[in-house]
Amino acid sequence: MQEYLATITGLADDGRGVARLDGRVCFVSGALPGQTVAVRIVRDRKRFAEAACLRVIGDMPDAVAPLCPHEAECGGCPLQRMPYARQLEWKTRLVRDAFGRIGGLREAPVREALASPRLDGFRNKMEFAFGAGEDGKLVLGLRRRASRGIVDVTSCALLPEPGMDMLEAVRQLARASGLPPYAWPEGGRGSRAGSPAPGGVWRFAVLRQGRDAAGRPGWWLLLITSRVDTAARRTVRRLGEVLLERFPGMLLGVVHDIRDADDALAQGDRRVLELGPCGAVMRQDLDGLPLVLDAASFFQVNTEAASLLCREVVAAAALESGSAPPRWRDASGPVLWDLYCGSGAPGLALAGRCSRVLGVEYDAAAVRRATDNARALGFAHCRYEAGDAEAVLKRLAGRGALPAPDVVLIDPPRAGMGAGVTAYVIGARPRRIVYVSCNPATLARDAGRLCAAGWRLRRVQPVDLFPHTPHVECVALLELDG
């Protein structure tokens, strides 16, 4: 197979290096800006090529030592050899590029990315996948770079202590259980037509750090398996009981969820078991706001950086009345739509300054958590609806029960707002839109549509919740012109 020499001059939003070969753009897995590398083409397209880095010929002049012994094979932290200041520079650049290239907003007011308060040991949640090694032995770890394979990790700089001790205990007990690991379908999108079902039992072990009801720190373990019989359920239960005995006062809950679909999502369809003093109930604090969650609930994985993000949301919404109170649509105070609200955060950080809050979230379990969290905080004026966002807005509008918003907070999945939701937001004409996004591309697309409909993009603040990766969160503020 022919090798090429490539000089990496850029960074793609998925962490691959960008070079030019024979006048075409080439995306190189495992390479970083400033490196000269030997590459092999793995996919040849008409307008671009994709390649794998075989070896580094010349490194970045300011390269730093990797944090992790698995850096060369694990796909989790592709930027860790890049100095952190340069990581932030590239993340800011990626956001600016997305707004110009996708949103048509070339003069977008993108600020410099805010740094994560911590660069290691910062994750409150990590998902580890089970699989089979080359020798057929069960492995438990993280995805191999550019592959569905799994690195049997023995160390991770992102996981606080004693997370790795717990992971090793899970690995050894799962190996001794006799239950086979799940055989992941190629590409992670399900079995191809005519191919055998993946089969296997163990899918994921998810470690989460949080607090109990009294505020004491601890850990939760979520075990996700395929559908299993009664004997296998007893085996999983026994594994959980052993772990609780081995880590007393530290491991506060063990949960067993089942997933039927042949895919690579670390999300259960139904619950089988809750063990331990706290079961599946945990607490996370967001910038001083206590939130009760389920062990499977979504919450930002970097707690300290998530608090920075929350402060940016509050500042962007700017609901303080000041010396000249704005003319809210409700005389008693602003009305907030909180779309894709999850378990209530960060919208609940704004609720105390609002007269009404309407939260919309697809996941019914998250809506129940949001309702409970609002009640615990004394916010009787918060109402949460479960379902597809467009369908919920349409249903409420049809009943005349859709309040006119002063501010809309949007925190959608990576795909961004659907066209129907965008139409409802535009039709509602809120004074401010605060858009939180984990995907600069769809944020830029949606911001472009909103600007074309009469809003002005006031600022975009990237916040680094994921050091050593190309991922970046953003908070964008749009204000209605006139």
Side-chain angles (χ1 to χ4, degrees):
M1 190 68 72
Q2 185 173 0
E3 293 185 11
Y4 298 87
L5 194 67
T7 299
I8 308 301
T9 58
L11 185 71
D13 58 9
D14 61 2
R16 291 182 294 177
V18 180
R20 284 197 170 270
L21 290 178
D22 298 329
R24 287 187 307 161
V25 172
C26 183
F27 298 99
V28 184
S29 175
L32 295 172
Q35 291 180 333
T36 301
V37 296
V39 305
R40 173 174 53 84
I41 303 296
V42 296
R43 191 171 288 108
D44 207 347
R45 306 288 192 183
K46 185 175 181 180
R47 299 178 61 185
F48 65 91
E50 296 176 284
C53 176
L54 301 177
R55 59 189 175 278
V56 176
I57 306 299
D59 208 348
M60 299 176 290
D62 55 352
V64 297
L67 295 170
C68 175
H70 302 291
E71 179 264 344
E73 53 184 349
C74 177
C77 301
L79 306 188
Q80 61 182 286
R81 292 183 60 84
M82 184 184 291
Y84 188 57
R86 274 227 291 150
Q87 293 183 33
L88 294 176
E89 290 172 4
W90 273 107
K91 293 189 184 199
T92 303
R93 182 170 171 176
L94 288 171
V95 175
R96 286 181 176 147
D97 176 69
F99 272 87
R101 180 171 47 87
I102 299 170
L105 302 169
R106 301 195 179 279
E107 302 301 321
V110 178
R111 297 176 171 181
E112 298 297 322
L114 294 180
S116 170
R118 298 182 60 187
L119 302 184
D120 59 9
F122 59 82
R123 288 191 68 114
N124 60 49
K125 174 186 177 184
M126 289 198 67
E127 299 171 356
F128 297 94
F130 289 97
E134 294 181 358
D135 58 358
K137 189 176 182 181
L138 179 146
V139 296
L140 176 58
L142 300 171
R143 297 292 181 192
R144 195 173 296 277
R145 183 173 293 171
S147 167
R148 299 304 305 173
I150 295 167
V151 179
D152 203 24
V153 297
T154 57
S155 176
C156 179
L158 307 188
L159 187 65
E161 293 294 340
M164 289 308 301
D165 293 338
M166 294 184 184
L167 186 71
E168 180 59 27
V170 174
R171 178 186 290 116
Q172 296 302 327
L173 289 169
R175 284 175 179 169
S177 72
L179 300 178
Y182 182 70
W184 298 102
E186 187 63 30
R189 295 187 180 272
S191 303
R192 291 176 291 183
S195 66
V201 172
W202 297 112
R203 292 194 178 205
F204 288 96
V206 182
L207 280 170
R208 300 197 67 166
Q209 193 178 39
R211 296 181 182 275
D212 66 10
R216 293 182 292 261
W219 290 79
W220 280 254
L221 170 67
L222 177 62
L223 296 168
I224 301 174
T225 72
S226 300
R227 189 184 308 174
V228 290
D229 58 22
T230 302
R233 291 189 184 191
R234 284 199 295 264
T235 299
V236 177
R237 170 185 278 272
R238 181 55 187 155
L239 183 150
E241 291 170 343
V242 171
L243 289 169
L244 287 165
E245 293 170 0
R246 193 170 296 182
F247 298 96
M250 188 179 303
L251 184 60
L252 301 181
V254 177
V255 178
H256 178 195
D257 282 355
I258 285 176
R259 185 168 186 83
D260 290 324
D262 293 332
D263 57 26
L265 291 179
Q267 180 178 329
D269 297 317
R270 58 191 187 281
R271 180 141 304 165
V272 176
L273 177 69
E274 297 178 5
L275 294 173
C278 294
V281 180
M282 64 185 302
R283 195 184 96 185
Q284 291 284 6
D285 293 338
L286 181 65
D287 200 26
L289 188 72
L291 300 169
V292 177
L293 307 174
D294 184 271
S297 295
F298 171 80
F299 188 81
Q300 294 286 6
V301 300
N302 185 336
T303 307
E304 294 178 56
S307 291
L308 294 180
L309 186 80
C310 182
R311 289 170 208 160
E312 289 299 319
V313 169
V314 171
L319 296 179
E320 295 85 358
S321 59
S323 56
R327 292 182 179 178
W328 303 121
R329 289 171 170 177
D330 186 321
S332 60
V335 175
L336 173 70
W337 284 6
D338 187 359
L339 304 182
Y340 313 96
C341 65
S343 297
L348 286 171
L350 300 171
R353 308 173 192 187
C354 298
S355 64
R356 299 175 69 184
V357 175
L358 170 65
V360 180
E361 166 60 41
Y362 184 82
D363 183 0
V367 165
R368 290 192 293 272
R369 290 291 177 191
T371 302
D372 291 343
N373 283 322
R375 185 180 299 117
L377 292 166
F379 296 149
H381 58 289
C382 294
R383 173 186 176 190
Y384 296 93
E385 297 280 347
D388 173 78
E390 180 183 356
V392 169
L393 294 174
K394 182 178 181 180
R395 183 178 75 244
L396 294 176
R399 299 202 320 242
L402 186 61
D406 298 288
V407 178
V408 174
L409 172 60
I410 305 165
D411 190 357
R414 289 189 63 81
M417 282 196 297
V421 176
T422 304
Y424 270 104
V425 171
I426 290 173
R429 311 304 285 176
R431 294 178 63 241
R432 296 190 187 101
I433 298 171
V434 181
Y435 195 133
V436 182
S437 175
C438 61
N439 187 345
T442 53
L443 169 60
R445 178 202 67 196
D446 291 347
R449 293 171 177 172
L450 292 168
C451 287
W455 280 264
R456 181 174 297 181
L457 183 64
R458 292 298 187 185
R459 66 175 181 263
V460 181
Q461 180 61 70
V463 184
D464 188 17
L465 272 72
F466 310 98
H468 320 304
T469 80
H471 304 299
V472 61
E473 293 273 335
C474 292
V475 179
L477 169 63
L478 299 102
E479 289 186 330
L480 189 64
D481 266 344

